[in-house]
């Protein structure tokens, strides 16, 4: 580890902790009229959702939950953010991990000392024990009827049951375990191959475009990303298996997903990679020329490799672990511009690449990846801008303009969390990175 880069990272974290310490001021700046995200077909939409784990009070609370493990003074700030979120919870719908009461519950679980926040955490457990089976009932009916097409929001990390399941995995209550087992059983069923005219498609085939637009018939795609694709369910199945929570067929489901990921990896001058998705025509034609995705948590080699590594660790498959590590190591030989990285965020920026590289390196005991972390941390720190409202600015994916994001997935709190873990050279004490399904 490079002492100079670690010191720079620690200094940036200290500045961000000071900048983000007032929830009211952060919310006011985040909701400034010009600070809106361009969304095709919808114009510009607000970036701040008070109950969001992307950008909202729970998102920023995660930073102070982590910092409080070494400086108890930050406990007060974390509690203030959670209090602001709780004040909004009466108007929010219980949905996926990244929005609504579950986002609050996850942040509270990261901030809690023994016995704290039990009321809200237990309440969410009980709600999920009822809601998860009800939410999955139409999916069970679809699967039993042999009809393909599982939308993102059913199974993914952001809004689907993979993210919900990761929160439940750390909850030691009867209702939480009941809901988690229901989720695992569903993901096992989702991994079974389809039959009849759809036999060439995997059970997790998505019926819409990669950008969410509905399609007629069974066009759709098979998504390979960690945020919205089958790598998310693979990671949850693996983490649950390692945590001793197992359902019939869980190991076969992991093997089936890992096999599909192996079948659809491609190789270029930098080595093995995964495309973002596979479309119906690719399955029918066996397309060889699928493009390399950006290098990121959400899509591309880092997220997919981490999911495959976790599965290899769970089932003692050194070949999976080796393939994952080799893919990430070779990807990092690309020139910086070859990664498609524009900002420092966790989702698709340098901080996310840094954190995943450190996790993969730690579990593989890989010196080359460990050494690469210094360079990646430097790339993130170099984008620090003391003139920006939150110290960093985030690139939009659809237009060439920049946003001031304080939150977790794309904003400054998430960047600070990754830099803090790097500077301390320690695992996340609060478990914040469980929200990424990478541990």
């Amino acid at each position: 580890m490079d002492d100079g880069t670690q010191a720079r990272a620690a200094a940036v974290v200290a500045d961000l902790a000071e900048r983000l310490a007032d929830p009211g001021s952060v919310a006011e700046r985040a909701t400034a009229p010009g600070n809106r995200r361009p969304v095709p077909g919808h114009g510009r939409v607000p970036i701040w959702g008070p109950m969001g784990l992307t950008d909202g009070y729970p998102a920023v609370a995660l930073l102070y939950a982590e910092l409080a493990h070494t400086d108890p003074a930050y406990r007060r700030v974390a509690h203030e953010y959670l209090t602001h979120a709780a004040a909004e919870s009466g108007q929010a719908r219980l949905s996926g991990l990244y929005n609504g009461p579950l986002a609050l519950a996850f942040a509270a679980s990261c901030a809690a000392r023994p016995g704290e926040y039990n009321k809200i955490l237990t309440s969410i457990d009980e709600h999920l024990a009822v809601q998860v089976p009800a939410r999955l009932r139409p999916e069970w009916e679809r699967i039993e009827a042999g009809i393909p097409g599982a939308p993102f929001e059913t199974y993914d990390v952001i809004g689907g049951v993979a993210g919900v399941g990761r929160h439940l995995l750390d909850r030691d209550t009867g209702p939480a375990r009941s809901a988690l087992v229901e989720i695992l059983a569903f993901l096992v069923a989702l991994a079974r191959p389809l039959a009849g005219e759809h036999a060439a498609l995997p059970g997790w085939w998505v019926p819409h475009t990669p950008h969410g637009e509905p399609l007629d018939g069974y066009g759709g795609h098979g998504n390979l990303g960690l945020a919205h694709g089958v790598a998310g369910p693979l990671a949850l199945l693996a983490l649950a298996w390692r945590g001793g929570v197992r359902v019939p067929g869980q190991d076969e489901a992991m093997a089936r997903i890992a096999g599909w990921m192996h079948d659809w990896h491609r190789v270029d001058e930098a080595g093995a990679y995964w495309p973002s998705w596979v479309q119906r025509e690719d399955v029918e034609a066996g397309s060889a020329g699928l493009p390399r995705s950006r290098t990121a948590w959400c899509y591309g080699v880092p997220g997919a490799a981490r999911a495959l590594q976790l599965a290899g660790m769970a089932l003692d498959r050194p070949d999976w672990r080796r393939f994952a590590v080799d893919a990430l190591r070779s990807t990092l030989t690309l020139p910086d511009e070859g990664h498609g990285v524009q900002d420092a965020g966790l989702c698709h920026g340098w901080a996310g690449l840094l954190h995943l590289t450190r996790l993969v390196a730690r579990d593989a005991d890989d010196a080359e990846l460990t050494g690469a972390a210094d360079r990646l941390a430097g790339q993130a720190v170099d984008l620090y801008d003391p003139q920006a409202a939150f110290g960093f600015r985030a690139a939009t994916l659809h237009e060439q303009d920049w946003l001031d994001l304080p939150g977790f997935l794309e904003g400054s709190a998430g960047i600070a969390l990754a830099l803090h873990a790097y500077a301390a050279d320690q695992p996340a004490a609060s478990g914040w990175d469980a929200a990424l399904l990478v541990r």
Side-chain angles (χ1 to χ4, degrees), residues 67-76:
L67 296 177
H69 280 268
T70 52
D71 186 347
Y74 286 119
R75 291 183 49 76
R76 176 190 59 80

Side-chain angles (χ1 to χ4, degrees), residues 6 21 117 131 155 169 180-181 245 306 326 329 363 402 411 427:
Q6 285 180 291
Y117 305 118
Q131 189 199 54
Y155 72 82
L169 183 58
L180 176 57
V181 167
V245 187
R306 179 56 174 170
D326 288 348
R329 192 189 295 121
D363 287 333
W402 297 78

